[in-house]
mmCIF file of all heavy atoms in Angstrom:
data_model
loop_
_atom_site.group_PDB
_atom_site.id
_atom_site.type_symbol
_atom_site.label_atom_id
_atom_site.label_comp_id
_atom_site.label_asym_id
_atom_site.label_seq_id
_atom_site.Cartn_x
_atom_site.Cartn_y
_atom_site.Cartn_z
ATOM 1 N N LYS A 1 8.075 18.280 -1.618
ATOM 2 C CA LYS A 1 8.805 17.769 -0.462
ATOM 3 C C LYS A 1 8.000 16.646 0.186
ATOM 4 O O LYS A 1 6.794 16.764 0.386
ATOM 5 C CB LYS A 1 9.041 18.884 0.553
ATOM 6 C CG LYS A 1 9.882 20.032 0.015
ATOM 7 C CD LYS A 1 11.282 19.568 -0.344
ATOM 8 C CE LYS A 1 12.130 20.747 -0.822
ATOM 9 N NZ LYS A 1 13.492 20.318 -1.194
ATOM 10 N N PHE A 2 8.678 15.555 0.505
ATOM 11 C CA PHE A 2 8.016 14.395 1.098
ATOM 12 C C PHE A 2 8.607 14.063 2.463
ATOM 13 O O PHE A 2 9.775 14.332 2.728
ATOM 14 C CB PHE A 2 8.164 13.176 0.188
ATOM 15 C CG PHE A 2 7.588 13.360 -1.189
ATOM 16 C CD1 PHE A 2 8.413 13.681 -2.253
ATOM 17 C CD2 PHE A 2 6.227 13.223 -1.411
ATOM 18 C CE1 PHE A 2 7.890 13.857 -3.527
ATOM 19 C CE2 PHE A 2 5.692 13.400 -2.671
ATOM 20 C CZ PHE A 2 6.524 13.714 -3.730
ATOM 21 N N ILE A 3 7.787 13.442 3.281
ATOM 22 C CA ILE A 3 8.239 12.884 4.546
ATOM 23 C C ILE A 3 8.269 11.370 4.353
ATOM 24 O O ILE A 3 7.232 10.753 4.112
ATOM 25 C CB ILE A 3 7.271 13.244 5.693
ATOM 26 C CG1 ILE A 3 7.188 14.755 5.872
ATOM 27 C CG2 ILE A 3 7.715 12.572 6.987
ATOM 28 C CD1 ILE A 3 6.079 15.194 6.816
ATOM 29 N N ILE A 4 9.443 10.779 4.418
ATOM 30 C CA ILE A 4 9.603 9.333 4.204
ATOM 31 C C ILE A 4 10.125 8.733 5.502
ATOM 32 O O ILE A 4 11.207 9.094 5.972
ATOM 33 C CB ILE A 4 10.581 9.041 3.051
ATOM 34 C CG1 ILE A 4 10.162 9.800 1.795
ATOM 35 C CG2 ILE A 4 10.649 7.543 2.770
ATOM 36 C CD1 ILE A 4 11.182 9.739 0.666
ATOM 37 N N LYS A 5 9.360 7.809 6.082
ATOM 38 C CA LYS A 5 9.730 7.266 7.385
ATOM 39 C C LYS A 5 9.095 5.893 7.596
ATOM 40 O O LYS A 5 8.186 5.498 6.847
ATOM 41 C CB LYS A 5 9.256 8.213 8.486
ATOM 42 C CG LYS A 5 7.758 8.438 8.514
ATOM 43 C CD LYS A 5 7.378 9.452 9.588
ATOM 44 C CE LYS A 5 5.878 9.695 9.646
ATOM 45 N NZ LYS A 5 5.521 10.673 10.690
ATOM 46 N N PRO A 6 9.550 5.152 8.627
ATOM 47 C CA PRO A 6 8.915 3.866 8.940
ATOM 48 C C PRO A 6 7.444 4.078 9.255
ATOM 49 O O PRO A 6 7.072 5.038 9.936
ATOM 50 C CB PRO A 6 9.690 3.386 10.170
ATOM 51 C CG PRO A 6 11.041 4.024 10.030
ATOM 52 C CD PRO A 6 10.754 5.379 9.457
ATOM 53 N N ALA A 7 6.594 3.195 8.718
ATOM 54 C CA ALA A 7 5.154 3.301 8.947
ATOM 55 C C ALA A 7 4.791 2.691 10.293
ATOM 56 O O ALA A 7 5.498 1.832 10.825
ATOM 57 C CB ALA A 7 4.401 2.588 7.831
ATOM 58 N N GLY A 8 3.663 3.138 10.851
ATOM 59 C CA GLY A 8 3.178 2.615 12.120
ATOM 60 C C GLY A 8 1.670 2.513 12.120
ATOM 61 O O GLY A 8 1.019 2.736 11.087
ATOM 62 N N GLU A 9 1.109 2.191 13.252
ATOM 63 C CA GLU A 9 -0.347 2.029 13.356
ATOM 64 C C GLU A 9 -1.097 3.306 12.983
ATOM 65 O O GLU A 9 -2.236 3.252 12.521
ATOM 66 C CB GLU A 9 -0.719 1.594 14.778
ATOM 67 C CG GLU A 9 -0.243 0.185 15.110
ATOM 68 C CD GLU A 9 -0.694 -0.268 16.495
ATOM 69 O OE1 GLU A 9 -1.387 0.517 17.183
ATOM 70 O OE2 GLU A 9 -0.353 -1.399 16.882
ATOM 71 N N GLN A 10 -0.463 4.453 13.163
ATOM 72 C CA GLN A 10 -1.101 5.717 12.832
ATOM 73 C C GLN A 10 -1.331 5.886 11.323
ATOM 74 O O GLN A 10 -2.055 6.791 10.894
ATOM 75 C CB GLN A 10 -0.269 6.895 13.364
ATOM 76 C CG GLN A 10 1.068 7.110 12.667
ATOM 77 C CD GLN A 10 2.205 6.305 13.279
ATOM 78 O OE1 GLN A 10 1.978 5.242 13.835
ATOM 79 N NE2 GLN A 10 3.400 6.844 13.181
ATOM 80 N N HIS A 11 -0.736 4.971 10.534
ATOM 81 C CA HIS A 11 -0.875 5.060 9.079
ATOM 82 C C HIS A 11 -1.845 4.017 8.506
ATOM 83 O O HIS A 11 -1.954 3.869 7.293
ATOM 84 C CB HIS A 11 0.500 4.892 8.416
ATOM 85 C CG HIS A 11 1.489 5.937 8.834
ATOM 86 N ND1 HIS A 11 2.649 5.629 9.529
ATOM 87 C CD2 HIS A 11 1.482 7.279 8.680
ATOM 88 C CE1 HIS A 11 3.317 6.746 9.768
ATOM 89 N NE2 HIS A 11 2.634 7.757 9.262
ATOM 90 N N HIS A 12 -2.554 3.297 9.378
ATOM 91 C CA HIS A 12 -3.492 2.262 8.925
ATOM 92 C C HIS A 12 -4.535 2.809 7.958
ATOM 93 O O HIS A 12 -5.016 2.086 7.079
ATOM 94 C CB HIS A 12 -4.198 1.624 10.123
ATOM 95 C CG HIS A 12 -3.361 0.618 10.836
ATOM 96 N ND1 HIS A 12 -3.861 -0.216 11.819
ATOM 97 C CD2 HIS A 12 -2.049 0.293 10.707
ATOM 98 C CE1 HIS A 12 -2.886 -0.999 12.268
ATOM 99 N NE2 HIS A 12 -1.779 -0.706 11.622
ATOM 100 N N ALA A 13 -4.894 4.061 8.088
ATOM 101 C CA ALA A 13 -5.941 4.655 7.254
ATOM 102 C C ALA A 13 -5.564 4.673 5.768
ATOM 103 O O ALA A 13 -6.437 4.784 4.897
ATOM 104 C CB ALA A 13 -6.237 6.080 7.723
ATOM 105 N N TYR A 14 -4.272 4.523 5.473
ATOM 106 C CA TYR A 14 -3.818 4.559 4.083
ATOM 107 C C TYR A 14 -3.815 3.175 3.427
ATOM 108 O O TYR A 14 -3.566 3.055 2.229
ATOM 109 C CB TYR A 14 -2.392 5.124 3.997
ATOM 110 C CG TYR A 14 -2.249 6.540 4.501
ATOM 111 C CD1 TYR A 14 -1.715 6.800 5.766
ATOM 112 C CD2 TYR A 14 -2.631 7.629 3.718
ATOM 113 C CE1 TYR A 14 -1.564 8.102 6.234
ATOM 114 C CE2 TYR A 14 -2.487 8.940 4.174
ATOM 115 C CZ TYR A 14 -1.960 9.160 5.433
ATOM 116 O OH TYR A 14 -1.820 10.444 5.890
ATOM 117 N N ALA A 15 -4.076 2.123 4.194
ATOM 118 C CA ALA A 15 -3.928 0.746 3.702
ATOM 119 C C ALA A 15 -4.808 0.447 2.486
ATOM 120 O O ALA A 15 -4.356 -0.187 1.523
ATOM 121 C CB ALA A 15 -4.217 -0.249 4.821
ATOM 122 N N ASP A 16 -6.063 0.861 2.514
ATOM 123 C CA ASP A 16 -6.961 0.604 1.382
ATOM 124 C C ASP A 16 -6.457 1.281 0.106
ATOM 125 O O ASP A 16 -6.483 0.690 -0.975
ATOM 126 C CB ASP A 16 -8.381 1.096 1.701
ATOM 127 C CG ASP A 16 -9.084 0.205 2.720
ATOM 128 O OD1 ASP A 16 -8.932 -1.025 2.642
ATOM 129 O OD2 ASP A 16 -9.780 0.747 3.579
ATOM 130 N N THR A 17 -6.014 2.505 0.226
ATOM 131 C CA THR A 17 -5.501 3.250 -0.931
ATOM 132 C C THR A 17 -4.259 2.581 -1.497
ATOM 133 O O THR A 17 -4.103 2.452 -2.717
ATOM 134 C CB THR A 17 -5.155 4.697 -0.518
ATOM 135 O OG1 THR A 17 -6.331 5.343 -0.031
ATOM 136 C CG2 THR A 17 -4.612 5.482 -1.706
ATOM 137 N N ILE A 18 -3.380 2.127 -0.609
ATOM 138 C CA ILE A 18 -2.131 1.485 -1.034
ATOM 139 C C ILE A 18 -2.398 0.192 -1.793
ATOM 140 O O ILE A 18 -1.848 -0.026 -2.885
ATOM 141 C CB ILE A 18 -1.236 1.211 0.193
ATOM 142 C CG1 ILE A 18 -0.714 2.530 0.768
ATOM 143 C CG2 ILE A 18 -0.064 0.290 -0.177
ATOM 144 C CD1 ILE A 18 -0.045 2.400 2.131
ATOM 145 N N THR A 19 -3.239 -0.686 -1.252
ATOM 146 C CA THR A 19 -3.502 -1.975 -1.916
ATOM 147 C C THR A 19 -4.242 -1.777 -3.237
ATOM 148 O O THR A 19 -3.987 -2.501 -4.200
ATOM 149 C CB THR A 19 -4.315 -2.905 -1.003
ATOM 150 O OG1 THR A 19 -5.480 -2.224 -0.522
ATOM 151 C CG2 THR A 19 -3.493 -3.365 0.181
ATOM 152 N N ALA A 20 -5.131 -0.796 -3.305
ATOM 153 C CA ALA A 20 -5.854 -0.523 -4.552
ATOM 154 C C ALA A 20 -4.885 -0.059 -5.627
ATOM 155 O O ALA A 20 -4.964 -0.501 -6.788
ATOM 156 C CB ALA A 20 -6.932 0.532 -4.316
ATOM 157 N N GLU A 21 -3.938 0.799 -5.264
ATOM 158 C CA GLU A 21 -2.967 1.302 -6.235
ATOM 159 C C GLU A 21 -1.997 0.207 -6.662
ATOM 160 O O GLU A 21 -1.569 0.152 -7.819
ATOM 161 C CB GLU A 21 -2.208 2.488 -5.658
ATOM 162 C CG GLU A 21 -1.372 3.245 -6.679
ATOM 163 C CD GLU A 21 -2.184 3.684 -7.889
ATOM 164 O OE1 GLU A 21 -3.244 4.314 -7.707
ATOM 165 O OE2 GLU A 21 -1.766 3.382 -9.023
ATOM 166 N N MET A 22 -1.653 -0.696 -5.731
ATOM 167 C CA MET A 22 -0.790 -1.832 -6.079
ATOM 168 C C MET A 22 -1.438 -2.683 -7.170
ATOM 169 O O MET A 22 -0.789 -3.093 -8.141
ATOM 170 C CB MET A 22 -0.544 -2.707 -4.843
ATOM 171 C CG MET A 22 0.461 -2.177 -3.866
ATOM 172 S SD MET A 22 0.610 -3.313 -2.443
ATOM 173 C CE MET A 22 1.960 -2.544 -1.552
ATOM 174 N N GLU A 23 -2.733 -2.960 -7.004
ATOM 175 C CA GLU A 23 -3.446 -3.790 -7.968
ATOM 176 C C GLU A 23 -3.557 -3.107 -9.321
ATOM 177 O O GLU A 23 -3.337 -3.729 -10.367
ATOM 178 C CB GLU A 23 -4.841 -4.125 -7.444
ATOM 179 C CG GLU A 23 -5.588 -5.117 -8.321
ATOM 180 C CD GLU A 23 -6.859 -5.635 -7.687
ATOM 181 O OE1 GLU A 23 -7.182 -5.216 -6.554
ATOM 182 O OE2 GLU A 23 -7.521 -6.483 -8.299
ATOM 183 N N LEU A 24 -3.863 -1.822 -9.336
ATOM 184 C CA LEU A 24 -3.977 -1.076 -10.593
ATOM 185 C C LEU A 24 -2.632 -1.031 -11.317
ATOM 186 O O LEU A 24 -2.572 -1.186 -12.539
ATOM 187 C CB LEU A 24 -4.458 0.348 -10.315
ATOM 188 C CG LEU A 24 -5.927 0.509 -9.915
ATOM 189 C CD1 LEU A 24 -6.208 1.947 -9.506
ATOM 190 C CD2 LEU A 24 -6.835 0.095 -11.065
ATOM 191 N N SER A 25 -1.569 -0.839 -10.555
ATOM 192 C CA SER A 25 -0.235 -0.768 -11.147
ATOM 193 C C SER A 25 0.178 -2.107 -11.746
ATOM 194 O O SER A 25 0.759 -2.165 -12.831
ATOM 195 C CB SER A 25 0.782 -0.340 -10.082
ATOM 196 O OG SER A 25 2.081 -0.254 -10.627
ATOM 197 N N ALA A 26 -0.129 -3.208 -11.044
ATOM 198 C CA ALA A 26 0.198 -4.550 -11.535
ATOM 199 C C ALA A 26 -0.556 -4.852 -12.829
ATOM 200 O O ALA A 26 -0.005 -5.431 -13.768
ATOM 201 C CB ALA A 26 -0.139 -5.591 -10.480
ATOM 202 N N GLN A 27 -1.822 -4.440 -12.898
ATOM 203 C CA GLN A 27 -2.628 -4.650 -14.100
ATOM 204 C C GLN A 27 -2.056 -3.874 -15.273
ATOM 205 O O GLN A 27 -2.009 -4.368 -16.404
ATOM 206 C CB GLN A 27 -4.076 -4.226 -13.842
ATOM 207 C CG GLN A 27 -4.824 -5.145 -12.888
ATOM 208 C CD GLN A 27 -6.193 -4.612 -12.529
ATOM 209 O OE1 GLN A 27 -6.568 -3.499 -12.905
ATOM 210 N NE2 GLN A 27 -6.965 -5.389 -11.773
ATOM 211 N N ALA A 28 -1.602 -2.657 -15.016
ATOM 212 C CA ALA A 28 -1.039 -1.818 -16.070
ATOM 213 C C ALA A 28 0.264 -2.395 -16.620
ATOM 214 O O ALA A 28 0.530 -2.332 -17.820
ATOM 215 C CB ALA A 28 -0.803 -0.408 -15.539
ATOM 216 N N ARG A 29 1.087 -2.997 -15.731
ATOM 217 C CA ARG A 29 2.366 -3.578 -16.147
ATOM 218 C C ARG A 29 2.197 -4.945 -16.778
ATOM 219 O O ARG A 29 3.069 -5.418 -17.504
ATOM 220 C CB ARG A 29 3.312 -3.718 -14.944
ATOM 221 C CG ARG A 29 3.763 -2.426 -14.316
ATOM 222 C CD ARG A 29 4.942 -2.668 -13.380
ATOM 223 N NE ARG A 29 4.694 -3.779 -12.481
ATOM 224 C CZ ARG A 29 4.169 -3.673 -11.280
ATOM 225 N NH1 ARG A 29 3.785 -2.499 -10.839
ATOM 226 N NH2 ARG A 29 3.984 -4.734 -10.513
ATOM 227 N N GLY A 30 1.100 -5.623 -16.452
ATOM 228 C CA GLY A 30 0.919 -6.991 -16.936
ATOM 229 C C GLY A 30 1.640 -7.995 -16.061
ATOM 230 O O GLY A 30 1.774 -9.163 -16.409
ATOM 231 N N THR A 31 2.141 -7.548 -14.909
ATOM 232 C CA THR A 31 2.790 -8.447 -13.947
ATOM 233 C C THR A 31 2.321 -8.054 -12.560
ATOM 234 O O THR A 31 1.772 -6.983 -12.351
ATOM 235 C CB THR A 31 4.331 -8.340 -13.990
ATOM 236 O OG1 THR A 31 4.701 -6.988 -13.678
ATOM 237 C CG2 THR A 31 4.867 -8.716 -15.347
ATOM 238 N N GLY A 32 2.569 -8.901 -11.606
ATOM 239 C CA GLY A 32 2.188 -8.561 -10.241
ATOM 240 C C GLY A 32 2.537 -9.680 -9.289
ATOM 241 O O GLY A 32 2.154 -10.817 -9.509
ATOM 242 N N ILE A 33 3.280 -9.380 -8.255
ATOM 243 C CA ILE A 33 3.693 -10.389 -7.297
ATOM 244 C C ILE A 33 2.937 -10.186 -5.983
ATOM 245 O O ILE A 33 2.827 -9.076 -5.481
ATOM 246 C CB ILE A 33 5.215 -10.296 -7.026
ATOM 247 C CG1 ILE A 33 5.992 -10.520 -8.314
ATOM 248 C CG2 ILE A 33 5.642 -11.292 -5.968
ATOM 249 C CD1 ILE A 33 5.847 -11.876 -8.938
ATOM 250 N N ALA A 34 2.460 -11.279 -5.433
ATOM 251 C CA ALA A 34 1.890 -11.293 -4.088
ATOM 252 C C ALA A 34 0.851 -10.203 -3.839
ATOM 253 O O ALA A 34 1.116 -9.210 -3.188
ATOM 254 C CB ALA A 34 3.004 -11.190 -3.056
ATOM 255 N N LYS A 35 -0.328 -10.407 -4.380
ATOM 256 C CA LYS A 35 -1.432 -9.486 -4.127
ATOM 257 C C LYS A 35 -1.732 -9.491 -2.629
ATOM 258 O O LYS A 35 -1.908 -10.536 -2.024
ATOM 259 C CB LYS A 35 -2.667 -9.936 -4.915
ATOM 260 C CG LYS A 35 -3.848 -8.997 -4.796
ATOM 261 C CD LYS A 35 -4.979 -9.478 -5.675
ATOM 262 C CE LYS A 35 -6.184 -8.562 -5.553
ATOM 263 N NZ LYS A 35 -7.303 -9.029 -6.416
ATOM 264 N N ARG A 36 -1.787 -8.303 -2.035
ATOM 265 C CA ARG A 36 -1.943 -8.196 -0.588
ATOM 266 C C ARG A 36 -3.248 -7.504 -0.207
ATOM 267 O O ARG A 36 -3.762 -6.674 -0.947
ATOM 268 C CB ARG A 36 -0.773 -7.412 0.018
ATOM 269 C CG ARG A 36 0.585 -8.082 -0.161
ATOM 270 C CD ARG A 36 0.598 -9.493 0.371
ATOM 271 N NE ARG A 36 1.946 -10.072 0.387
ATOM 272 C CZ ARG A 36 2.201 -11.336 0.644
ATOM 273 N NH1 ARG A 36 1.214 -12.177 0.894
ATOM 274 N NH2 ARG A 36 3.433 -11.779 0.647
ATOM 275 N N SER A 37 -3.746 -7.836 0.971
ATOM 276 C CA SER A 37 -4.976 -7.238 1.485
ATOM 277 C C SER A 37 -4.628 -6.034 2.348
ATOM 278 O O SER A 37 -3.494 -5.910 2.845
ATOM 279 C CB SER A 37 -5.739 -8.257 2.330
ATOM 280 O OG SER A 37 -5.003 -8.554 3.506
ATOM 281 N N PRO A 38 -5.591 -5.139 2.594
ATOM 282 C CA PRO A 38 -5.345 -4.011 3.493
ATOM 283 C C PRO A 38 -4.925 -4.478 4.888
ATOM 284 O O PRO A 38 -4.090 -3.837 5.540
ATOM 285 C CB PRO A 38 -6.703 -3.298 3.525
ATOM 286 C CG PRO A 38 -7.311 -3.606 2.189
ATOM 287 C CD PRO A 38 -6.901 -5.026 1.928
ATOM 288 N N GLU A 39 -5.478 -5.611 5.335
ATOM 289 C CA GLU A 39 -5.133 -6.143 6.650
ATOM 290 C C GLU A 39 -3.661 -6.533 6.721
ATOM 291 O O GLU A 39 -2.992 -6.329 7.745
ATOM 292 C CB GLU A 39 -6.011 -7.364 6.982
ATOM 293 C CG GLU A 39 -7.477 -7.045 7.253
ATOM 294 C CD GLU A 39 -8.230 -6.582 6.005
ATOM 295 O OE1 GLU A 39 -7.856 -7.014 4.885
ATOM 296 O OE2 GLU A 39 -9.165 -5.779 6.150
ATOM 297 N N TYR A 40 -3.158 -7.123 5.636
ATOM 298 C CA TYR A 40 -1.749 -7.519 5.586
ATOM 299 C C TYR A 40 -0.856 -6.278 5.665
ATOM 300 O O TYR A 40 0.155 -6.261 6.393
ATOM 301 C CB TYR A 40 -1.465 -8.288 4.303
ATOM 302 C CG TYR A 40 -0.060 -8.835 4.219
ATOM 303 C CD1 TYR A 40 0.272 -10.057 4.780
ATOM 304 C CD2 TYR A 40 0.950 -8.111 3.574
ATOM 305 C CE1 TYR A 40 1.562 -10.548 4.711
ATOM 306 C CE2 TYR A 40 2.237 -8.588 3.503
ATOM 307 C CZ TYR A 40 2.551 -9.813 4.071
ATOM 308 O OH TYR A 40 3.835 -10.280 4.007
ATOM 309 N N ILE A 41 -1.215 -5.253 4.917
ATOM 310 C CA ILE A 41 -0.440 -4.011 4.916
ATOM 311 C C ILE A 41 -0.453 -3.371 6.303
ATOM 312 O O ILE A 41 0.559 -2.873 6.794
ATOM 313 C CB ILE A 41 -0.998 -3.029 3.865
ATOM 314 C CG1 ILE A 41 -0.828 -3.601 2.449
ATOM 315 C CG2 ILE A 41 -0.314 -1.675 3.980
ATOM 316 C CD1 ILE A 41 0.585 -3.946 2.061
ATOM 317 N N LYS A 42 -1.600 -3.405 6.970
ATOM 318 C CA LYS A 42 -1.704 -2.856 8.321
ATOM 319 C C LYS A 42 -0.790 -3.621 9.288
ATOM 320 O O LYS A 42 -0.178 -3.018 10.177
ATOM 321 C CB LYS A 42 -3.153 -2.922 8.811
ATOM 322 C CG LYS A 42 -4.092 -1.946 8.118
ATOM 323 C CD LYS A 42 -5.523 -2.127 8.607
ATOM 324 C CE LYS A 42 -6.485 -1.212 7.865
ATOM 325 N NZ LYS A 42 -7.900 -1.422 8.296
#
């Protein structure tokens, strides 16, 4: 079961994990659009 909702400042702690997984996923696919920083995600 998941909780899916609009993100807010209380979720900033997840930004590093999210951007790292985005990069790994793009490398695995061989494609990737708009590499983002944790600051951008925050």
